[in-house]
Every structure is written in structure tokens, then in C-alpha cells.
Amino acid sequence: MNETHDPKLTSWIESANDASTDFPLQNLPYGVFRQHGSNEGPRVGVAIGDKILDIAGCEAEGLFAGAASTAALACLGESLNELMALGSDHWSALRKRLHEILRSDAPEGFQQRAGRNMVAQAEVEMLMPAHIGDYTDFYASIYHAMNVGSMFRPDNPLLPNYKYVPIGYHGRASSIVASGAPVKRPCGQTRDDANQPPSFGPTKRLDYEAEVGFFIGPGNLLGSPLSVEEAARNIFGFCLVNDWSARDVQTWEYQPLGPFLAKNFMTTISPWVVTGEALAPYRVAAFARNEGDPSPLDYLNSEHDQRGGGLDLNIEVWLASRKMRDADVPAVRLSLGNFRDMYWTTAQMVAHHASNGCNLRPGDLLASGTVSGNTKDARGSMLELTWRGTEPLQLPSGETRKFLEDGDEVTMRGYCEREGLRRIGLGECRGAVV
């Protein structure tokens, strides 16, 4: 916690002072953008209210010095990878300098030079924030694991390794897309009748999963594990993740090696990366395990992480069918979960990933798995909300949903809010099924 978190400070960008904005002065997330209709290359920017500050332009104006300048120079490319590779000292220096430039009492010269490098968010196309070399998806919500296990293994819903191991699988980095990209209904092999052979065709049970993603910073060398404390320092920032899933394909293919084509056809992420430092005021204790649950093994156990490794982050999922949009019917909120309900912390997930010496690299993306709570309205997937299609959802248009239909648009939003602090948002993660 430092001056950049002071909730009393405001910005000379008026929209950043709106209580409902995702991007106040206390946030300052990074993203990659390009102005609509231009031939310019991608540029790294910082969201402030409804505007974007172009870091390369500010560097050319001489607004940075020292470690902040080194960090700004790492933002001259087309992704955040070089900035991620620098580490927390440089990340903090750049954040502090951006805060000084954008606060209300910034010198007039700062405001003039920064103002020349400001664009409206409405005028840009948001791109992928990083070149993602590797992608790993975890299964860190015990409520989600229990719900899914109860459907498929009612006599044994939670496997014996779950409370000892942060379960995960390696996903497909090449099919990760930025928010707004259309979602093509995938084809796959399914078997609805156990007495008949499988068939191949479009999935009939397309689903979403509301997740939180976190980008790796400097990483580790091959053969060099990370402690939980080192893992925490290696997390650059957070985004929203929609892990689109073909449930009928998944049911047929997942044994014995786990998710494959049911998951890797597309994953959508929100374009803004909110830094770990920005979210520091919203840190909470790790998930409180039930009496009788095992303590984490030593390599996953850290007193500091147990005290503050959780994150009080709200995750909303909204749905608008094509019929609703055509009739100007507002999207309906399907669920509201919170990331503090995850059984494993992000640092534990990173530490476990690297515990066998696996080398993590700048820009690698890890995702939490579905964020679900212990109430029905906190379930982060349609599989859980409709209980495998047996309890259809009722939409305001009179339609019902067991799973997603063509034309459905899913929007996820994430934000932290607490009395006495400024609201910090992650923006939107959106996709429509075609």
C-alpha cells in the first residue's frame, strides 16, 4: 500500500473521478490498442476513466525518468511482454510516475504533454495484451468441483487429491482471443446414447466458464522451482477469462487424460490487465478450510499468503439473447461470484506449476478455473446454473436456456469495491455465439 492507493486523490481526467468507473486514478491497468480505421501498429496504453494514455507518446515527451523510463521503454513494442519481464520494482516505478502525471495536482506541463497523448476508449480497437506463449487452466473452486462432481460422480463428487493438489491442465494458447471476438460453435465427437456409436457434429451443450486470469512476470529458469512468496512476486496482473466449453464433447472425451477439444476451440480474455499492486487494498485471507481439511503441504504453505493471498474480486455474468437484443431488452445477470471463494490462492497455483522445475515465462497466462460460490446465484457456469440442463433458466424474453444458443451474447465483468476505497474494475470479457 502506498500513495497510489489513496482513495481521496482524483485525476484531471474528469471521467476517472466517476464513482462507477472501472478505471479511476487508483487502477491504471495496461492494455494494447489501435485506433479504429487506422493503419498504425498496436500501442501500449493505460486506461484512465474513458480515456487511454499512450505510453510511447509520453516517453517521447520526456515524462519518464530512471526505472520508470526503463519500464516505459519496455512498452514501445506491440505487447506487454517486455514490461512483464522487468519485475516488480520497475512495475511500481512506472505506476508511481503514471499516478504523478495523471493526478489532479500534476504540474500544468505534465497535463499538457500527457494530454497530447490521450485517446478516447470509444475510438480504439482493443487487442491482445500479451503474446501468450503458454496457457494453463486450473480448477481452484471447491464449490465448482463439488457441483460438477455431484453431477457426474454423485457417490464420489470430490476426488481425494483435490485438497492436496491445485489441479490444472495445459490449454491452447493459440486460440485465446480478446473480448468481442465472435464465438464459432465448435464441432466435436459426442455420444448421447451408450448403446450407439458416437457421432460428429456441432456441440449441443455450449457453455461458458467465468474465470480470473493472471499473467506471469519474469518467471523462472528450467529446473528452478518458485516458493509461494516468489510466485506471488511473479504475478504481473489480472484479467477476466471466459473458458468456453462444449460439455457434450467434454463428457465423451475427458477420460482418461482430461480436457481436450471441448476446451481449446476458443478462450476469451478481457483486454485490460489490472496489476497486482492496484489490487493490493482488496487482498484478504486465503480460503478458510473446513475443520478436518488437510493443511497445504510445506511447499504450498506460507504464513503471508494465508493472511493475504485471497482477493475480494466480484465476478458477474450477464446474458443477452439475440431476441432480447433485437427487442432492446437489457441483458440479465445470471450470477455473481467472488474470487475469495477459491480453495487455492494464485500464488499457490503458480508455485505448484513451477514446483517440478517447469519454467514459466513472461506473458504466460494462468487461469483459476470457474469461480463459483456456495449459493446457486454464485455459480459461474451454465452447467451448474441449470444443473446439467435439468433446471432451465428463464429469460426476460420468455425464452429458456439449458445451454447457450446461437446469437447469445455472454458478458463478464469483474470489480473490487469496499467502503472507504475506490472501486477498481477489470472491464468486460464479451463474446457472442455464431
Side-chain angles (χ1 to χ4, degrees):
M1 296 283 287
N2 53 45
E3 190 178 22
T4 66
H5 301 106
D6 188 342
K8 297 186 294 295
L9 296 179
T10 59
S11 173
W12 51 270
I13 303 296
E14 284 301 323
S15 59
N17 304 323
D18 189 318
S20 64
T21 185
D22 275 351
F23 309 124
L25 179 66
Q26 292 75 11
N27 191 346
L28 305 179
Y30 297 95
V32 176
F33 71 96
R34 176 171 52 212
Q35 287 195 291
H36 283 303
S38 76
N39 294 321
E40 68 178 14
R43 302 173 74 84
V44 173
V46 171
I48 178 72
D50 61 3
K51 300 288 195 295
I52 299 174
L53 183 68
D54 183 341
I55 293 184
C58 289
E59 171 63 22
E61 295 273 1
L63 283 169
F64 302 110
S69 179
T70 302
L73 290 170
C75 295
L76 300 188
E78 299 183 347
S79 76
L80 294 171
N81 293 66
E82 289 188 36
L83 176 62
M84 292 172 175
L86 289 178
S88 58
D89 289 346
H90 285 88
W91 305 338
S92 291
L94 182 57
R95 172 180 167 83
K96 183 176 185 294
R97 186 58 169 175
L98 289 167
H99 188 270
E100 292 169 351
I101 292 168
L102 293 167
R103 54 191 285 176
S104 294
D105 57 359
E108 186 66 27
F110 280 17
Q111 296 186 31
Q112 291 176 349
R113 285 184 282 171
R116 290 195 288 265
N117 294 282
M118 198 79 68
V119 297
Q121 290 191 36
E123 297 175 357
V124 308
E125 171 191 7
M126 294 304 299
L127 307 173
M128 288 288 288
H131 297 303
I132 300 171
D134 284 297
Y135 167 53
T136 301
D137 196 11
F138 282 88
Y139 196 54
S141 166
I142 194 168
Y143 298 120
H144 175 66
M146 285 291 293
N147 286 336
V148 174
S150 296
M151 294 177 214
F152 293 93
R153 299 181 306 275
D155 297 330
N156 186 29
L158 199 66
L159 295 177
N161 64 351
Y162 189 85
K163 295 180 179 181
Y164 289 95
V165 180
I167 301 296
Y169 71 94
H170 292 296
R172 182 75 181 177
S174 64
S175 53
I176 300 176
V177 299
S179 177
V183 183
K184 294 186 178 181
R185 181 177 294 273
C187 290
Q189 194 178 125
T190 61
R191 190 182 188 186
D192 296 328
D193 186 342
N195 297 314
Q196 298 294 326
S199 61
F200 182 83
T203 177
K204 301 180 185 69
R205 298 180 183 175
L206 183 62
D207 199 1
Y208 62 82
E209 289 189 341
E211 306 191 13
V212 172
F214 36 108
F215 284 95
I216 296 297
N220 59 301
L221 297 175
L222 183 65
S224 301
L226 295 169
S227 68
V228 174
E229 289 83 1
E230 290 168 335
R233 292 193 294 271
N234 265 278
I235 297 173
F236 172 76
F238 296 79
C239 68
L240 299 173
V241 174
N242 187 340
D243 179 29
W244 303 98
S245 302
R247 298 301 187 186
D248 43 0
V249 178
Q250 184 178 357
T251 300
W252 174 237
E253 75 173 8
Y254 85 102
Q255 294 186 16
L257 294 181
F260 185 36
L261 300 183
K263 295 279 193 176
N264 69 4
F265 59 93
M266 178 176 280
T267 302
T268 304
I269 66 173
S270 55
W272 293 108
V273 183
V274 177
T275 63
E277 186 172 358
L279 295 173
Y282 294 95
R283 285 291 179 180
V284 294
F287 184 85
R289 299 187 171 205
N290 291 329
E291 185 177 351
D293 279 6
S295 296
L297 297 183
D298 287 346
Y299 79 101
L300 294 173
N301 208 350
S302 155
E303 182 180 350
H304 183 267
D305 189 59
Q306 289 298 302
R307 287 200 313 267
L311 184 59
D312 186 6
L313 170 62
N314 296 297
I315 307 295
E316 296 181 342
V317 180
W318 297 75
L319 177 67
S321 68
R322 180 182 288 128
K323 181 178 179 180
M324 290 170 65
R325 297 198 302 279
D326 289 346
D328 291 327
V329 175
V332 60
R333 192 174 77 180
L334 300 184
S335 65
L336 170 61
N338 194 292
F339 197 59
R340 64 173 174 250
D341 286 332
M342 306 307 277
Y343 196 79
W344 298 99
T345 69
T346 53
Q348 286 174 321
M349 288 183 247
V350 174
H352 180 67
H353 201 318
S355 63
N356 66 346
C358 173
N359 53 319
L360 303 176
R361 298 174 296 184
D364 283 357
L365 178 66
L366 279 60
S368 63
T370 305
V371 179
S372 289
N374 63 352
T375 59
K376 185 172 183 178
D377 61 358
R379 296 174 181 172
S381 68
M382 194 166 279
L383 175 71
E384 296 169 89
L385 284 172
T386 69
W387 208 252
R388 209 180 178 184
T390 62
E391 302 173 11
L393 300 175
Q394 301 291 324
L395 302 183
S397 55
E399 301 168 277
T400 61
R401 287 292 183 272
K402 295 180 179 179
F403 291 95
L404 296 173
E405 301 290 341
D406 290 350
D408 287 351
E409 183 176 64
V410 177
T411 302
M412 297 174 183
R413 300 189 179 105
Y415 56 93
C416 300
E417 57 184 8
R418 188 180 298 166
E419 187 175 354
L421 294 173
R422 283 305 306 267
R423 181 182 187 276
I424 299 292
L426 274 68
E428 288 188 348
C429 181
R430 179 173 48 83
V433 181
V434 299

